[in-house]
Amino acid sequence: MRVSDATLGGGLVIFAIALAGYSQTFPDIPGQSYGAALFPTLVALGFAGCGVTLIVQGAGHGEPLLVRADWAREPRAMLAVSGTVLGMAAYIVLAPEIGFVPTMVALLMILFALTRVRWWVALPLALVATLAIEKVFADLLLVPLPLGLMPRLPW
């Protein structure tokens, strides 16, 4: 699936407007002549400029707003994409209750099954990937992952 430059530019301008609007809610920094909103507003202006440029260039080529790629015509590929989006939603709902490790292992096994990975390859890969992600986020980046039903891992 390919999105035209004009469509992408329109999305970028909408994002820039939202970013600039939200950044205006940031508090002022006492004793400074500029506030915390300055940098996000400058970034939003850059996004808006890029978006307008993409709209102008895309409109000049007259290409369709959305073109479906060959892979997107296969039902199994669309099932895998839908499974990924549903998996993220399921993680948001299930991880606080069940915990990061069991939720991720289950989701990865489902995603591997959707992409036709054999179970004897998928199971150790899901376990190793989950434990590696847990190690990096919990211990190195100090991001608290939901424990749920599981006790904290010993490392």
Side-chain angles (χ1 to χ4, degrees), residues 50-122:
C50 291
V52 169
T53 302
L54 285 172
I55 290 171
V56 170
Q57 288 179 349
H61 291 122
E63 58 188 13
L65 296 180
L66 188 64
V67 177
R68 215 168 160 190
D70 290 338
W71 68 266
R73 298 174 203 276
E74 295 180 27
R76 187 153 187 101
M78 293 308 295
L79 181 66
V81 170
S82 301
T84 303
V85 174
L86 290 174
M88 287 188 284
Y91 175 80
I92 292 169
V93 172
L94 297 175
E97 300 298 325
I98 299 172
F100 172 78
V101 173
T103 304
M104 279 305 295
V105 169
L107 288 176
L108 285 175
M109 288 296 295
I110 292 169
L111 292 174
F112 285 144
L114 289 174
T115 54
R116 296 183 181 178
V117 176
R118 294 186 173 97
W119 71 268
W120 64 82
V121 175

